Amino acid sequence: MRHRVLNLCFVCFLSMLILFNSSIAFSQEEVPRVLLVGDSWTGFMWAFRTFKEIFNETPGMEHLREIGSRTAIMGARAFEFYPEEYNYIQNVKEELAKYPTIDIVLMTLGGNDFLRGTPQTSRWNCDMLSNPAQEQYIINTIVNYMSGIIDEILAVRPDIRIALCGYTFAGRDRGGCSICDQQNAFVRFEQAKKALADSKPRVYYVHNLGLMQYHFGTSTPTNLPPNSVPYPGNYPSYSPFPGGDPCSLVHPNGLFDGDIHLSQAGYRILAQRCMSEFISQWLDYPKVYLINSISSNGNTMTFSVSFSEPVSNVDTTDFNAKDSLSSPLSILSVNNIQGNRIYNVVVDTTGAVGNVTLCVIDDDSIIDATSKPLGGPGTGSSEGNGDFCYNGVWEYHDFIRQPDHEIVAGMQYLHENLSAYYVLLGDQGAEGLSFNPDECDLNGGQISIDPIIISGNGMLDSLEFSLITECYNNSSIDFTANGGVSHQIAVNAYNQNMQRMITDVGGTDGIVYTIFYGLPQMLAGYMTLGNQESTMIPTVISIAAQAIDPSFNIHVNIITPIYYQLLPQYFGPDGDADGDGWTNKQEYEYFVHSDMSYEEKKQAYINSALNPDVYPGSDCEECHTSSTLGGIFKVGSDICLRVPDPVATNSSFNWSKLNGSLEGRGLNTHCRSLWIPNAQIEDTGIYICEYDNGQKTNTTYEFHVIVSDEVPISSVLTLILFVGTITLCSVLIIRKQYVR
């Protein structure tokens, strides 16, 4: 199972190597309650946003959300959740700590261990039919791993309930023995998972063997229509176990890869099964969403406590307050503030030391309008059902798919939605790779494969894409009179490129556009940039994708530039979007500085590359003091170094500092005058400007500057001594750098 999924992941991501960050504070409008943990089965449900779709269609659950970007990992095996491997359990713990409203974990795990093996065992094979002890050892090893993962989760949060979601039968004959023998071995594995769930509190098994056969029918050797085989047994009897027909395969209509992975409709049926068995009931219990300190007055503190729905019987006995020394504090009052859903709790802080925290202690006295107790039946002290001690405002933002022309938004979605795979990429030699818009620079540089090293062109890919998006969104952009781009040119080209890219990567229902949303947008962006270094990336990815097992069904064409509208003359690094005579890269290098925030960089680039009146040197101001050719200056002085005449009309200027750097000083290093405000001792040195004096050859001029705490009367003599000493030490370096 994992080989094929990881092939897909690595081809899409490692091939790329060759080549919205907003969050909202607590709101009942979007509350995460379910955490998806495990392998490709939860991975696909996360990618399809299966539970979100079901929540939005279920009255009263429209505001609920699932989370899985870091914990639902294609191809994961149980032993990889441990520190000796990838330590994915840490991702789970961090998500539970980050989102205190999560109280349900849906887990699919163990299938890859069974079919591929673990560090202690080989994969299951037909030879083990004659050696039941060996099969049992494999099953026990996997179950022990899963048991440890469950224990870790419950140790973090005792209010968690775990739905251990079982697999369905396969759609492919793996050979070596009969289909009956193969699938009955999987039945025995699933029975062991059920026994594991039965042995642990707050863990429940969801039986799915035969579920896809029931809904989609069977194939090989018996071809039966839907609803022809037994439906898998429900909790608690689970009879029949299994459902379906173990001696037949799942009909291809229920699968997308002809093997073990379900179609989008199949995963929806699986999620609905989990909902109907357990999750809907669990979500129907009232829950605490927030405890937040809102005021402190003398010897009292007031906390706001928000519940998921209106509840009653809330009084002082339902709360427990402590200080930093765990000393108990008295609850003075509890007041209904908003519709029995938000209560204010006043705590006596007399003698309290350090921070004061408030907890809701569940004793089943708090109930909703239909008498369901807080967190479900069972008191918090023993089962953790309704206990809640998270003090503070938590934040959540949903993963929203933006329109396809919002390339950077797609890039951000790809980065956040698949963040769990960075550890796998690092394991493959691509450590440090990120598709984060404020870090990613993949195109235009040198590429090494072993180890994987990419040196881009020095321009963030997301900022290069931002020119395309800005032109796409702004209908007033038209620089065609200057030889530049227009809104309509950008719209026509990107729309054609995106539609062609969707076709090339398998269509809107294809696995790439569906699972790796954001990647097609980036690839269409590279094609629109149009320079050779950019168009190489999609082509290489598509060629590498041909190596994937055909049964995986991704249907990726080789991406050929001739079928795309390439616009390097407008959007490439050497293009000129606004027709002002300066290339996009020149404007980027002049106006975009490393000490800027990402948004500042974006605005600086767009404002210069899409405005003919803004170009390198256009922001040059006359010095606020008289100009000088150098000298001795007191700390805090404003210094204006100005190139002397003659200077050619339209000359360019390039300032540098000998054995130093002007980067980060915010100086206009492409202007005739170098303005150094509030000079400091570290500004001492030799400044050099290259320019054209009208003689058709580059000229260099040196400015010698001393910045001192005190300026002596004999400043001229001091300057002469300084210039003599520094020049003797640096003349060879200057000649080497500037003499042609």
Side-chain angles (χ1 to χ4, degrees):
M1 189 186 302
R2 176 172 180 178
H3 275 312
R4 297 178 183 190
V5 179
L6 278 187
N7 278 344
L8 175 63
C9 298
F10 286 146
V11 164
C12 286
F13 285 108
L14 293 179
S15 301
M16 198 166 190
L17 299 173
I18 312 177
L19 333 113
F20 201 37
N21 232 359
S22 65
S23 58
I24 57 173
F26 163 77
S27 163
Q28 196 184 7
E29 293 309 308
E30 290 184 329
V31 180
R33 294 286 298 275
V34 177
L35 182 66
L36 304 177
V37 174
D39 54 25
S40 55
W41 280 49
T42 48
F44 280 116
M45 284 188 279
W46 169 245
F48 290 133
R49 295 310 303 271
T50 305
F51 277 94
K52 179 180 178 179
E53 183 180 318
I54 294 173
F55 291 152
N56 283 334
E57 295 172 358
T58 306
M61 294 188 183
E62 300 89 344
H63 64 286
L64 301 183
R65 294 292 179 264
E66 78 278 34
I67 287 176
S69 65
R70 301 182 65 232
T71 55
I73 304 166
M74 300 287 188
R77 287 185 276 180
F79 70 87
E80 291 171 344
F81 279 74
Y82 290 85
E84 293 78 7
E85 292 297 328
Y86 295 128
N87 198 21
Y88 288 138
I89 191 64
Q90 187 60 33
N91 293 9
V92 177
K93 293 178 179 179
E94 289 172 2
E95 296 295 82
L96 292 176
K98 185 177 181 180
Y99 302 110
T101 56
I102 290 175
D103 54 352
I104 297 169
V105 168
L106 177 71
M107 180 186 295
T108 64
L109 203 57
N112 291 311
D113 304 76
F114 191 75
L115 296 176
R116 295 188 57 224
T118 73
Q120 292 78 32
T121 68
S122 65
R123 67 178 181 85
W124 185 91
N125 62 73
C126 293
D127 294 340
M128 295 175 189
L129 294 172
S130 59
N131 189 349
Q134 187 177 9
E135 176 187 279
Q136 192 61 49
Y137 177 67
I138 290 175
I139 292 175
N140 290 345
T141 299
I142 300 169
V143 167
N144 286 339
Y145 277 125
M146 296 177 65
S147 177
I149 295 167
I150 290 170
D151 290 345
E152 294 254 19
I153 292 172
L154 295 178
V156 172
R157 289 267 301 280
D159 65 318
I160 292 292
R161 289 182 172 91
I162 297 176
L164 188 56
C165 182
Y167 300 104
T168 70
F169 289 129
R172 178 170 71 93
D173 182 356
R174 287 177 165 75
C177 52
S178 70
I179 292 174
C180 285
D181 287 336
Q182 295 172 43
Q183 300 205 137
N184 277 319
F186 217 67
V187 170
R188 293 188 289 274
F189 174 53
E190 288 295 314
Q191 287 172 329
K193 288 165 58 178
K194 173 186 173 298
L196 170 65
D198 291 343
S199 71
K200 290 185 177 295
R202 310 186 70 80
V203 183
Y204 301 83
Y205 176 77
V206 183
H207 177 210
N208 296 313
L209 288 172
L211 185 66
M212 293 300 110
Q213 292 179 334
Y214 178 84
H215 284 280
F216 294 100
T218 66
S219 66
T220 310
T222 306
N223 195 336
L224 296 175
N227 305 317
S228 300
V229 296
Y231 191 81
N234 298 324
Y235 173 85
S237 69
Y238 294 108
S239 178
F241 196 113
D245 177 13
C247 294
S248 295
L249 301 176
V250 175
H251 193 276
N253 288 348
L255 308 165
F256 80 79
D257 61 354
D259 186 6
I260 193 66
H261 296 104
L262 310 182
S263 63
Q264 185 167 356
Y267 281 114
R268 179 181 169 89
I269 291 171
L270 189 78
Q272 287 173 324
R273 167 76 164 168
C274 295
M275 289 284 290
S276 63
E277 280 284 82
F278 301 112
I279 294 178
S280 292
Q281 177 184 346
W282 297 342
L283 290 173
D284 199 34
Y285 298 138
K287 178 175 174 57
V288 183
Y289 277 173
L290 179 70
I291 299 176
N292 191 35
S293 171
I294 58 176
S295 68
S296 178
N297 184 14
N299 290 327
T300 64
M301 285 185 67
T302 301
F303 294 82
S304 175
V305 181
S306 300
F307 293 86
S308 59
E309 58 181 297
V311 292
S312 58
N313 299 337
V314 183
D315 58 35
T316 57
T317 64
D318 296 309
F319 300 93
N320 184 338
K322 294 181 179 180
D323 64 9
S324 294
L325 300 178
S326 295
S327 301
L329 304 173
S330 298
I331 309 298
L332 298 179
S333 64
V334 176
N335 302 297
N336 176 19
I337 299 300
Q338 181 179 318
N340 288 334
R341 198 181 72 81
I342 300 178
Y343 291 80
N344 279 0
V345 180
V346 181
V347 177
D348 183 357
T349 57
T350 303
V353 177
N355 295 328
V356 174
T357 57
L358 180 73
C359 293
V360 175
I361 305 301
D362 175 34
D363 59 4
D364 273 5
S365 63
I366 298 176
I367 57 174
D368 68 4
T370 59
S371 297
K372 293 188 297 294
L374 184 68
T379 60
S381 58
S382 62
E383 297 186 21
N385 285 350
D387 286 358
F388 193 96
C389 294
Y390 184 96
N391 281 227
V393 178
W394 53 269
E395 293 184 340
Y396 167 76
H397 73 274
D398 198 1
F399 291 81
I400 304 297
R401 297 189 176 197
Q402 301 296 327
D404 284 342
H405 68 271
E406 297 289 349
I407 312 171
V408 179
M411 191 176 182
Q412 182 70 30
Y413 187 97
L414 182 70
H415 163 62
E416 290 190 335
N417 197 41
L418 298 171
S419 59
Y421 298 97
Y422 286 135
V423 65
L424 295 177
L425 292 171
D427 186 62
Q428 297 295 314
E431 188 163 355
L433 172 74
S434 173
F435 303 106
N436 191 340
D438 59 7
E439 296 177 6
C440 182
D441 179 14
L442 295 180
N443 68 319
Q446 299 299 313
I447 299 170
S448 169
I449 302 301
D450 189 18
I452 298 172
I453 300 174
I454 301 175
S455 60
N457 59 11
M459 303 171 69
L460 289 177
D461 293 353
S462 59
L463 297 193
E464 295 189 75
F465 295 149
S466 71
L467 288 191
I468 301 172
T469 300
E470 182 69 17
C471 290
Y472 192 106
N473 291 331
N474 190 340
S475 60
S476 67
I477 289 179
D478 187 351
F479 303 118
T480 53
N482 302 330
V485 74
S486 70
H487 161 72
Q488 202 57 54
I489 290 174
V491 169
N492 293 343
Y494 187 77
N495 283 349
Q496 175 183 319
N497 292 345
M498 189 62 205
Q499 288 305 309
R500 178 71 196 196
M501 186 60 67
I502 290 175
T503 299
D504 279 345
V505 299
T508 54
D509 295 328
I511 203 66
V512 176
Y513 186 76
T514 303
I515 305 301
F516 299 100
Y517 184 85
L519 181 59
Q521 289 86 330
M522 290 181 67
L523 300 184
Y526 287 126
M527 299 305 284
T528 308
L529 292 178
N531 56 305
Q532 183 177 0
E533 294 83 0
S534 296
T535 60
M536 174 193 70
I537 298 173
T539 301
V540 170
I541 286 180
S542 63
I543 292 173
Q546 307 304 308
I548 295 180
D549 188 332
S551 68
F552 203 77
N553 244 358
I554 64 168
H555 301 302
V556 173
N557 300 326
I558 293 180
I559 298 170
T560 307
I562 61 173
Y563 297 117
Y564 291 81
Q565 281 197 38
L566 314 180
L567 300 180
Q569 70 274 32
Y570 303 129
F571 295 122
D574 296 325
D576 182 3
D578 56 9
D580 62 1
W582 294 85
T583 69
N584 298 326
K585 188 168 186 179
Q586 286 174 323
E587 302 209 49
Y588 185 104
E589 290 176 338
Y590 181 80
F591 288 102
V592 178
H593 305 297
S594 60
D595 57 349
M596 292 178 172
S597 68
Y598 175 77
E599 284 301 319
E600 289 172 336
K601 291 177 182 178
K602 177 181 175 181
Q603 288 307 311
Y605 185 44
I606 290 176
N607 291 343
S608 58
L610 294 178
N611 188 340
D613 296 325
V614 179
Y615 50 85
S618 64
D619 56 342
C620 296
E621 300 179 5
E622 291 298 323
C623 291
H624 302 172
T625 64
S626 58
S627 61
T628 178
L629 299 179
I632 302 177
F633 306 90
K634 191 171 183 179
V635 169
S637 300
D638 294 333
I639 303 173
C640 178
L641 305 178
R642 182 175 177 81
V643 173
D645 288 325
V647 173
T649 304
N650 296 326
S651 173
S652 62
F653 302 89
N654 184 22
W655 287 84
S656 59
K657 184 179 181 184
L658 186 66
N659 297 329
S661 173
L662 301 181
E663 174 72 19
R665 288 282 284 124
L667 307 179
N668 292 333
T669 56
H670 288 73
C671 302
R672 180 174 181 177
S673 299
L674 186 70
W675 172 246
I676 308 176
N678 189 28
Q680 301 298 309
I681 291 176
E682 53 266 28
D683 290 315
T684 295
I686 297 178
Y687 294 79
I688 301 162
C689 185
E690 284 188 283
Y691 66 103
D692 182 358
N693 67 358
Q695 304 302 315
K696 297 184 179 180
T697 58
N698 284 345
T699 299
T700 62
Y701 196 92
E702 300 172 27
F703 299 79
H704 300 261
V705 173
I706 297 177
V707 181
S708 175
D709 288 326
E710 295 184 3
V711 179
I713 297 177
S714 56
S715 60
V716 175
L717 177 59
T718 304
L719 177 61
I720 292 172
L721 291 174
F722 168 77
V723 170
T725 302
I726 297 298
T727 301
L728 285 173
C729 296
S730 60
V731 64
L732 293 177
I733 299 175
I734 296 175
R735 284 179 178 174
K736 182 178 180 181
Q737 290 180 338
Y738 297 103
V739 176
R740 305 287 188 258

